[in-house]
Amino acid sequence: MSIVPDTVNERLLTTTGDSQLATHAALWLIISVLILPIALAAVYSTQTTNAVYQITNVFPGSALVENYTTVLFEYNFGQYMWNSFVMATVVIVGKLVFSLLAATALVYYDFRFQSLIFYAILFTLLMPLPVRIVPLYQLMADIGWLNSFAGLTSPFIASATAVFLFRQQFRSIPASVVETAKLDGIGPIQFLINVLIPMSKGMIAGVTAIMFISTWNAYLWPLVAIIDRTNQVAQVGLRYIQGTGAEGFVQWNLVMAAGILVLIPPLIVLLVARRYLLSTLGGGE
């Protein structure tokens, strides 16, 4: 009896085991590299200002409560975070309404230049905010919306990405569902609310998570559009805190504390909508 097959199998198992071990080691290394800056920020947010400048001091300090209290109340960071949350909520609601309506029209209605309009919507993805910020600023100034909540949120209401994702989702819904709705005499808005939205809950949740994180991290437009600090958002407020120290002496412990606070809402959204977000990026329910 030959023992060659058993030897080959043992070698294959050993090779497979080594490959998996190397893959896991590489993944853990990547995860560690990604987590290290956040971990250091969390540690520095508990230290005093002088301790942060001691490079070898990478242990938690005793100023955790003091730093976070100072950031939230003395530097008004709690108000900045509330402004960001309200802005993100308004933008998400507006984007969902307009994107769902636009996707419904593009999929279930026949009208002239339908494809051209869709491609024109996609074309807007090639024009990010920095490219159109000057004419957008002039427009807001002309209509008197600078330094206002309307001027802060209105440039983010439309979303070509959301229209594209919802259009693809609606196109995957069986035609029999549409025919049944027509036979039952369901109107367009009722069809959207009672049929399309319930069948697209996963996609809507995933898109909502993406839009929240994108809006929460907005920095350039709020910096330009808002003059009054009390109406400013968290990302710009973080920059304000960085500039409060003496010349050449940044209070990094407070900056890190504010940075950790800014990370919390997106992290919560990611944890809650993780399954839906993966489904959205994967293109399925």
Side-chain angles (χ1 to χ4, degrees), residues 45-59:
S45 70
T46 67
Q47 298 178 355
T48 62
T49 302
N50 292 329
V52 170
Y53 280 89
Q54 299 174 10
I55 300 178
T56 57
N57 187 2
V58 292
F59 299 100

Side-chain angles (χ1 to χ4, degrees), residues 119-136 155-156 158-161:
Y119 289 124
I121 292 174
L122 291 184
F123 181 75
T124 62
L125 293 174
L126 302 178
M127 295 185 294
L129 181 62
V131 174
R132 48 191 170 90
I133 192 168
V134 174
L136 185 60
F156 299 103
S159 173
T161 302

Side-chain angles (χ1 to χ4, degrees), residues 76-97:
N76 206 29
F77 202 73
Q79 181 64 45
Y80 297 150
M81 293 187 66
W82 173 251
N83 293 340
S84 288
F85 178 78
V86 174
M87 179 185 73
T89 302
V90 172
V91 168
I92 287 172
V93 172
K95 279 186 175 182
L96 287 178
V97 171

Side-chain angles (χ1 to χ4, degrees), residues 98-218:
F98 284 106
S99 299
L100 288 169
L101 291 174
T104 301
L106 289 170
V107 175
Y108 296 107
Y109 287 84
D110 291 324
F111 50 89
R112 295 183 63 185
F113 309 116
Q114 185 176 19
S115 298
L116 181 62
I117 291 174
F118 174 65
Y119 289 124
I121 292 174
L122 291 184
F123 181 75
T124 62
L125 293 174
L126 302 178
M127 295 185 294
L129 181 62
V131 174
R132 48 191 170 90
I133 192 168
V134 174
L136 185 60
Y137 181 89
Q138 185 62 50
L139 174 63
M140 294 295 114
D142 291 341
I143 63 179
W145 280 8
L146 284 181
N147 198 35
S148 69
F149 192 75
L152 180 64
T153 56
S154 57
F156 299 103
I157 293 297
S159 173
T161 302
V163 172
F164 172 77
L165 291 174
F166 288 140
R167 176 181 179 271
Q168 297 305 108
Q169 171 65 21
F170 293 167
R171 285 166 62 92
S172 68
I173 294 177
S176 59
V177 175
V178 182
E179 296 299 327
T180 302
K182 289 181 179 179
L183 293 175
D184 291 340
I186 296 178
I189 300 300
Q190 189 178 3
F191 177 68
L192 172 63
I193 295 174
N194 296 335
V195 179
L196 295 180
I197 290 179
M199 295 185 69
S200 308
K201 289 186 294 185
M203 178 64 72
I204 292 173
V207 171
T208 299
I210 295 172
M211 291 189 301
F212 178 87
I213 294 172
S214 175
T215 308
W216 180 268
N217 290 329

